[in-house]
Amino acid sequence: MTRGLLWRSALGLLISLLILSISYFLYTDQISRAALSPLEIDRALQGVSHNQEWAPIQRRMNGMQMVLVPAGCFTMGSTDAQIEVAQVSCDRFFGRGKCQVDFKALEQPTRQICFKQPFWLGLTEVTNRAYGSPLFTRNAGHYREPSWPVEALPWVEALSFCESLGMRLPSEAEWEYAARGPDARIYPWGDEFKPLNVVWGMLNPDTVGQYEEAASWVGALDMSGSVAEWVMEPFAPYDLSLQANESEMRIARGGSWFSFAPFYLRSAMRDRYGKDFASSVVGFRCAADFALTAQ
């Protein structure tokens, strides 16, 4: 075969592969935008009692890839045994007796939370590309990759972006339920910390959605590490007998790339910040009511 024939054969193969790739993209994109089937709607409304009863469902909504979170109940907060896991990690990091985190005050008493209606949650945190700015705090000297989670937005700007899409920030209970499920796992993937599942202990963020094996039971990615995530409501203690006196404080969940100990990365961990706080370790993902695309 002459060199010209070889070149034409290679070019033809390349074109064929390109056509196949485009066709596959268009097909999967069409599926991701499709309305939920009656069976999927029924499954989501019926709810689940255990994590393994649910098979993740994704759809694309207003430019954002979302996962469906079915109805169901879970235990919000940490049991004594789960608090002990956090305490051991904190003592190892700071030194025995030097841990300053009061896990019991933050995460107890536990309480049963039920969702009668499903809801949608972002597959990943909102990225710089989706937000429309590759800059950290609008400073051209701090370039951030388009595929990294957007950072350094105060709570109100995160909320405003979600609302511009017809969405909202998740409630604290919604966020924790999507991360832990009815089984109330310590981490999104289970009860044992897996350091290779998380963007953590680093000096900057990284591309979102890299660690599919670390997905939560509903298929949400990066709910541990990457960036901590704003939720909707002000901070309040779980113990209703205590006065919050912190109405200006907001909550961020999930730990971040700058977390250097596993206790920060647990799904029950609660970080408090002022609602005007903006930091490179805090980002967000959006949520939406089930009715938005249920039909």
Side-chain angles (χ1 to χ4, degrees), residues 158-239:
L159 176 62
S160 178
F161 177 81
C162 292
E163 289 180 339
S164 73
L165 300 177
M167 302 182 188
R168 54 181 171 77
L169 291 174
S171 71
E172 188 175 19
E174 285 176 334
W175 192 97
E176 189 170 330
Y177 177 57
R180 308 180 73 186
D183 296 347
R185 294 169 172 172
I186 295 177
Y187 305 99
W189 56 84
D191 290 333
E192 298 296 325
F193 184 64
K194 296 183 178 181
L196 298 182
N197 276 3
V198 192
V199 177
W200 73 302
M202 300 173 64
L203 297 179
N204 54 257
D206 205 345
T207 299
V208 303
Q210 294 185 69
Y211 303 109
E212 294 186 2
E213 63 275 16
S216 78
W217 65 290
V218 294
L221 301 171
D222 299 323
M223 297 202 79
S224 179
S226 188
V227 287
E229 301 173 21
W230 290 121
V231 295
M232 179 64 81
E233 61 267 62
F235 172 80
Y238 291 166
D239 186 342

Side-chain angles (χ1 to χ4, degrees), residues 83-278:
I83 290 288
E84 181 60 25
V85 171
Q87 191 67 54
V88 168
S89 171
C90 195
D91 286 341
R92 285 176 177 169
F93 183 69
F94 289 107
R96 192 158 189 85
K98 296 181 180 180
C99 175
Q100 299 297 309
V101 183
D102 190 342
F103 296 108
K104 286 183 176 289
L106 283 171
E107 301 171 22
Q108 289 189 337
T110 60
R111 49 186 173 155
Q112 188 81 348
I113 301 291
C114 292
F115 295 93
K116 294 182 179 180
Q117 286 290 317
F119 60 92
W120 295 95
L121 187 73
L123 173 67
T124 67
E125 299 108 343
V126 174
T127 62
N128 287 308
R129 179 182 290 111
Y131 189 77
S133 172
L135 303 180
F136 164 45
T137 60
R138 305 181 180 86
N139 184 336
H142 295 278
Y143 180 78
R144 310 306 249 184
E145 293 293 336
S147 60
W148 290 4
V150 67
E151 322 145 66
L153 292 176
W155 176 86
V156 69
E157 290 189 30
L159 176 62
S160 178
F161 177 81
C162 292
E163 289 180 339
S164 73
L165 300 177
M167 302 182 188
R168 54 181 171 77
L169 291 174
S171 71
E172 188 175 19
E174 285 176 334
W175 192 97
E176 189 170 330
Y177 177 57
R180 308 180 73 186
D183 296 347
R185 294 169 172 172
I186 295 177
Y187 305 99
W189 56 84
D191 290 333
E192 298 296 325
F193 184 64
K194 296 183 178 181
L196 298 182
N197 276 3
V198 192
V199 177
W200 73 302
M202 300 173 64
L203 297 179
N204 54 257
D206 205 345
T207 299
V208 303
Q210 294 185 69
Y211 303 109
E212 294 186 2
E213 63 275 16
S216 78
W217 65 290
V218 294
L221 301 171
D222 299 323
M223 297 202 79
S224 179
S226 188
V227 287
E229 301 173 21
W230 290 121
V231 295
M232 179 64 81
E233 61 267 62
F235 172 80
Y238 291 166
D239 186 342
L240 299 180
S241 68
L242 300 177
Q243 290 290 329
N245 293 325
E246 298 185 67
S247 60
E248 295 301 306
M249 301 297 286
R250 292 295 185 272
I251 304 161
R253 289 300 205 107
S256 75
W257 53 269
F258 198 62
S259 297
F260 283 84
F263 75 87
Y264 282 118
L265 300 158
R266 297 171 304 115
S267 298
M269 184 67 185
R270 310 171 77 204
D271 282 321
R272 289 172 289 178
Y273 302 106
K275 66 180 181 180
D276 296 325
F277 178 80

Side-chain angles (χ1 to χ4, degrees), residues 65-69 119-123 170 178 220 223 285-288:
Q65 201 71 18
M66 310 291 283
V67 295
L68 183 59
V69 185
F119 60 92
W120 295 95
L121 187 73
L123 173 67
M223 297 202 79
R285 74 180 76 209
C286 298

Side-chain angles (χ1 to χ4, degrees), residues 3-83:
R3 183 176 300 179
L5 286 174
L6 283 171
W7 185 86
R8 283 194 292 272
S9 296
L11 180 60
L13 179 60
L14 181 61
I15 292 172
S16 297
L17 289 173
L18 181 61
I19 292 172
L20 284 173
S21 297
I22 293 173
S23 299
Y24 177 77
F25 172 79
L26 292 174
Y27 172 75
T28 54
D29 187 60
Q30 182 180 16
I31 293 297
S32 73
R33 295 172 185 269
L36 292 173
S37 70
L39 179 60
E40 289 172 325
I41 292 173
D42 187 57
R43 283 179 52 212
L45 289 170
Q46 282 185 2
V48 295
S49 299
H50 297 285
N51 291 18
Q52 65 268 24
E53 295 173 3
W54 183 250
I57 295 173
Q58 288 188 33
R59 288 294 186 275
R60 192 165 183 82
M61 300 161 50
N62 297 340
M64 306 295 291
Q65 201 71 18
M66 310 291 283
V67 295
L68 183 59
V69 185
C73 300
F74 84 114
T75 299
M76 188 170 182
S78 294
T79 64
D80 288 341
Q82 291 168 341
I83 290 288

